[in-house]
């Protein structure tokens, strides 16, 4: 409700009415991701595992469209009604987009926390524990197992009643979303940042009304979940524009093609919503250099905003040290900054210093994450190769990853270890990574998705795709078949020698492993690089990039944790 906004600025077309401001509340109960905590969630996890999980099985065709085939938002509203409509108890920013929404949510959450607000953030998917999807408080971090367990115990009766009344149709995502809203209410957050799961219009998070919505954010529009969202970029844009609400500002990230941006602006016009574009001519951002801090890379950036359209915004920051790498993350940082400035214009207390600190503090596992030498040692790697893990799985994110590799590790041998879901753009993904800094070795593997293999692309099928794309690009390559992860270094050396991977005769090695990504597979990749480079192998440090899915990243992090 508007009266619950810390600075109740009410937006009506062409008019801002300013009221008083309030002070942030105290720190909420929260905890980091300790491995021992998960044992407290046994009953909860078993309950959730019995619910329909589209992350594991795949989303039905048309499910994210605002049509008869779309998800039933009425089901979500009825569940929330049983829980006391907790989502109406605090203002929220709602974020949708094909890529970048998780990073944008993290940037904005940290900006608000730096200012001292008690922030609730809901995002998906998770990497190591489902608790990562919810954070509350002034410091962030996964919700504690004890708090989540107690919350579930309180809500279980109402959830049971809803499951029964909906004939078992309630999904894993709907129930967990409702629990996050309930927790935010119980913890009296000053502000919630909510990331949509699929699309926007029919996503379970799209129950936030305009009376509680501070602003909508749409980061990017791409082809992911194409069938579930109507089959075209235009239909995806329409679905995501469904989070735009009557009279509430919308921040659009981009860059978008002209026709896609027009769809978003048309929706904003119909709802009389002011539009702020992170690609406005008055917005300037640039990466000046890549630096290193404690063996971790960062990009030093300048961000300047001077917008005088629907909502006048102004800020200038120099030498912002972003731990999130790549031009796409700079754009996400700009989108989050524009959102923060929009909130400031609406009356929220947000300083330039808090924006800078929030941007610099933000880091997310699996987003262009370079492991430290100590972390690589824990995995049993000898230091001959750096390890980069990244959850890229679309054409656009493959290009972004390729740009990061070129900027941070411009020289030395490169190996890619890739596992993907079966519904991704495999051809376009491979084409982007092969047209960037060309790898010397590509190993394809399988990945478990949401605990199952139903959506996993077979490693042999991925290998055929990569061989075909390499051939189409005129790349000399060798099919080294399948690799057993427990093969001896001598056997792997033989593979490299047989394919003549030499600087005077560059050959791309493409093989597959039928076991999921593991330390042994990374060791095999490192061995292929070093042995294949012959005498130069001892002086040229390699780079091994594990990518294709956040679930691949999760596998590496789990092994690191163990």
């Amino acid at each position: 409700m508007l009266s619950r906004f810390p600075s109740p600025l009410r937006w009506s077309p062409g008019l801002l009415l300013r009221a008083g401001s309030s002070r942030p509340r105290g720190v909420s109960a929260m905890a980091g991701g300790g491995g021992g905590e998960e044992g407290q969630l046994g009953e909860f996890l078993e309950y959730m595992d019995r619910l329909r999980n589209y992350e594991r099985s795949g989303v039905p065709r048309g499910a994210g469209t605002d049509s008869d085939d779309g998800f039933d938002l009425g089901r979500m509203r009825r569940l929330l009604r049983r829980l006391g409509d907790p989502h109406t108890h605090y203002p929220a920013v709602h974020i949708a987009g094909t890529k970048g929404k998780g990073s944008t949510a993290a940037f904005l959450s940290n900006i608000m926390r730096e200012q001292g607000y008690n922030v609730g953030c809901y995002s998906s998917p998770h990497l190591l524990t489902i608790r990562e999807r919810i954070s509350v408080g002034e410091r962030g971090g996964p919700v504690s197992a004890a708090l989540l367990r107690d919350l579930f115990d309180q809500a279980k009766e109402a959830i049971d009643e809803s499951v029964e009344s909906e004939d078992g149709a309630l999904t894993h995502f709907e129930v967990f979303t409702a629990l996050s809203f309930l927790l935010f209410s119980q913890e009296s957050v000053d502000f919630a940042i909510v990331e949509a799961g699929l699309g926007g219009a029919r996503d379970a998070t799209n129950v936030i009304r305009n009376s509680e919505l501070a602003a909508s954010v749409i980061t990017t529009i791409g082809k992911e979940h194409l069938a579930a969202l109507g089959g075209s970029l235009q239909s995806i844009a329409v679905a995501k524009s469904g989070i735009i609400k009557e009279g509430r500002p919308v921040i659009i990230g981009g860059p978008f093609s002209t026709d896609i941006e027009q769809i978003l602006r048309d929706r904003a016009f119909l709802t009389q919503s002011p539009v702020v574009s992170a690609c406005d001519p008055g917005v300037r951002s640039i990466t000046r250099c890549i630096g290193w801090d404690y063996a971790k890379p960062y990009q030093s950036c300048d961000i300047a905003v001077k917008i005088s359209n629907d909502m006048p915004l102004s800020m200038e920051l120099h030498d912002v040290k972003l731990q999130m790498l790549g031009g796409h993350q700079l754009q996400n940082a700009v989108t989050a900054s524009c959102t923060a400035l929009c909130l400031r214009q609406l009356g929220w207390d947000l300083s330039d210093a808090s924006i800078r600190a929030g941007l610099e503090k933000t880091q997310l596992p699996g987003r262009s994450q370079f492991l430290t030498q100590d972390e690589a040692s824990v995995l049993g790697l000898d230091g001959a190769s750096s390890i980069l893990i990244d959850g890229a799985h679309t054409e656009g994110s493959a290009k972004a990853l390729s740009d990061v590799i070129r900027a941070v590790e411009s020289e030395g041998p490169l190996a890619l270890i890739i596992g993907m879901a079966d519904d991704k753009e495999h051809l376009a993904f491979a084409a982007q990574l092969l047209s960037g800094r060309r790898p010397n070795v590509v190993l394809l593997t399988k990945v478990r998705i949401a605990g199952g293999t139903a959506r996993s692309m077979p490693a042999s099928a991925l290998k055929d795709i990569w061989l075909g794309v390499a051939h189409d690009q005129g790349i000399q390559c060798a099919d080294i078949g399948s690799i057993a992860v427990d093969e001896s270094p001598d056997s792997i050396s033989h593979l490299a020698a047989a394919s003549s991977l030499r600087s005077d005769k560059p050959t791309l090695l493409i093989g597959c492993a039928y076991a999921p990504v593991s330390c042994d597979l990374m060791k095999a990749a490192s061995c292929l690089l070093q042995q294949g480079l012959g005498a130069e192998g001892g002086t040229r440090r390699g780079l091994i990039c594990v990518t294709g899915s956040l679930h691949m990243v999760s596998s590496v992090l789990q092994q690191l944790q163990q």
Side-chain angles (χ1 to χ4, degrees):
M1 295 161 46
L2 284 175
S3 60
R4 295 189 177 97
F5 279 56
S7 301
L9 283 173
R10 308 188 180 208
W11 181 280
S12 57
L15 182 65
L16 276 173
L17 303 176
R18 184 179 298 274
S21 62
S22 71
R23 297 159 63 178
R25 290 186 278 269
V27 179
S28 161
M30 48 155 292
E37 290 194 71
E38 300 310 299
Q40 303 179 48
L41 294 176
E43 182 182 351
F44 168 69
L45 295 175
E46 288 175 9
Y47 188 98
M48 296 297 290
D49 201 47
R50 291 195 295 268
L51 299 174
R52 184 177 301 169
N53 188 343
Y54 288 119
E55 289 178 37
R56 180 181 301 158
S57 63
V59 185
R61 183 176 294 275
T65 59
D66 199 7
S67 69
D68 292 341
D69 296 324
F71 287 128
D72 179 12
L73 271 183
R75 187 169 63 217
M76 185 67 184
R77 293 190 181 100
R78 291 187 289 273
L79 170 60
L80 288 168
R81 195 172 304 126
R82 290 181 186 273
L83 296 173
D85 286 325
H87 61 301
T88 66
H89 297 170
Y90 41 79
V93 165
H94 196 188
I95 303 178
T98 302
K99 300 296 293 182
K101 53 185 181 292
S103 298
T104 302
F107 278 129
L108 184 59
S109 295
N110 282 326
I111 289 169
M112 300 291 287
R113 290 188 180 109
E114 285 296 317
Q115 192 68 35
Y117 289 111
N118 177 12
V119 179
C121 184
Y122 177 61
S123 61
S124 60
H126 62 271
L127 291 177
L128 295 175
T129 167
I130 197 170
R131 297 186 291 107
E132 296 169 24
R133 299 187 180 210
I134 303 176
S135 65
V136 284
E138 293 179 0
R139 291 179 297 163
V143 63
S144 74
L147 191 57
L148 183 55
R149 179 199 60 207
D150 292 346
L151 179 77
F152 174 68
D153 289 344
Q154 297 166 26
K156 186 176 181 300
E157 183 177 350
I159 295 171
D160 283 340
E161 291 172 356
S162 289
V163 170
E164 183 177 356
S165 67
E166 303 291 349
D167 295 324
L170 272 177
T171 67
H172 183 287
F173 187 77
E174 288 168 334
V175 170
F176 203 78
T177 299
L179 286 172
S180 73
F181 289 159
L182 181 60
L183 182 64
F184 295 160
S185 175
Q186 292 188 356
E187 295 296 296
S188 299
V189 300
D190 297 309
F191 198 84
I193 297 168
V194 179
E195 178 189 338
L198 175 75
R202 291 296 186 93
D203 187 73
T205 60
N206 200 31
V207 291
I208 302 170
R209 305 177 308 188
N210 69 326
S211 52
E212 286 80 50
L213 184 69
S216 304
V217 181
I218 300 174
T219 56
T220 59
I221 303 294
K223 293 180 180 178
E224 192 173 11
H225 301 301
L226 196 63
L229 294 173
S232 70
L233 280 176
Q234 289 73 22
S235 65
I236 291 174
V238 170
K240 294 186 188 301
S241 73
I243 70 167
I244 300 173
K245 298 296 195 308
E246 189 73 34
R248 307 311 303 163
V250 55
I251 297 86
I252 57 176
F256 304 102
S257 63
T258 303
D259 60 327
I260 296 301
E261 181 166 337
Q262 192 60 51
I263 289 171
L264 304 181
R265 289 186 177 274
D266 286 346
R267 170 71 181 182
F269 178 79
L270 289 173
T271 56
Q272 300 183 68
S273 301
V275 178
V276 172
S277 172
C279 292
D280 186 277
V283 177
R284 295 178 290 107
S285 62
I286 186 173
T287 296
R288 295 203 171 273
C289 66
I290 299 292
W292 293 82
D293 189 10
Y294 298 104
K296 289 274 195 174
Y298 66 85
Q299 54 181 344
S300 177
C301 308
D302 293 344
I303 300 173
V305 178
K306 189 69 175 178
I307 297 176
S308 56
N309 296 332
D310 287 0
M311 297 186 73
L313 309 177
S314 178
M315 179 192 72
E316 191 164 346
L317 301 176
H318 296 282
D319 192 27
V320 180
K321 294 179 173 60
L322 293 183
Q323 299 183 70
M324 306 280 277
L325 301 175
H328 61 301
Q329 293 294 3
L330 175 55
Q331 182 64 22
N332 292 332
V334 170
T335 301
S337 297
C338 287
T339 306
L341 293 173
C342 178
L343 294 175
R344 184 161 75 188
Q345 183 69 12
L346 292 173
W348 291 79
D349 183 16
L350 282 168
S351 67
D352 285 4
S354 291
I355 295 174
R356 172 191 289 275
L359 296 179
E360 293 188 333
K361 180 179 180 179
T362 300
Q363 53 184 326
L364 285 176
R367 278 75 167 183
S368 298
Q369 178 184 355
F370 283 83
L371 301 189
T372 65
Q373 190 167 340
D374 288 343
E375 289 169 332
S377 297
V378 169
L379 293 173
L381 298 167
D382 57 9
S385 298
S386 302
I387 308 296
L388 167 63
I389 56 177
D390 188 274
H393 54 270
T394 66
E395 180 180 9
S397 58
K399 183 182 185 307
L401 173 59
S402 184
D403 290 344
V404 168
I405 292 172
R406 185 185 293 108
V408 179
E409 294 279 355
S410 60
E411 297 180 350
L414 170 64
L416 304 178
I417 300 177
I418 297 165
M420 302 184 74
D422 61 6
D423 59 351
K424 304 306 177 186
E425 305 169 90
H426 304 108
L427 286 168
F429 185 84
Q432 281 291 346
L433 287 177
L434 287 178
S435 61
R437 218 198 102 193
R438 186 167 297 172
N440 304 90
V441 175
V442 177
L443 297 180
L444 293 313
T445 185
K446 65 181 179 181
V447 58
R448 292 179 63 84
I449 298 171
T453 56
R455 292 179 55 214
S456 180
M457 186 72 166
S460 57
L462 278 175
K463 178 167 71 89
D464 292 341
I465 289 171
W466 278 76
L467 286 167
V469 173
H471 180 268
D472 291 344
Q473 292 193 7
I475 299 172
Q476 181 171 304
C477 60
D479 180 357
I480 59 174
S482 61
I483 294 177
V485 293
D486 56 354
E487 279 195 67
S488 68
D490 287 342
S491 299
I492 293 170
S493 299
H494 176 73
L495 285 173
S499 63
S500 300
L501 177 60
R502 304 290 182 190
S503 58
D504 59 343
K505 187 182 179 182
T507 303
L508 168 60
L509 303 182
I510 301 180
C512 63
Y514 294 108
V517 63
S518 65
C519 301
D520 288 334
L521 188 55
M522 286 185 276
K523 290 177 187 176
S526 182
C527 188
L528 280 169
L529 286 181
Q530 299 307 313
Q531 295 292 336
L533 287 164
E536 293 184 357
T539 60
R540 296 176 62 188
R541 184 175 172 85
L543 173 65
I544 298 172
C545 177
V546 180
T547 187
S549 169
L550 280 172
H551 301 283
M552 289 282 286
V553 169
S554 175
S555 295
V556 175
L557 294 178
Q558 284 173 357
Q559 292 167 66
L560 189 60
Q561 196 175 66
Q562 291 166 2

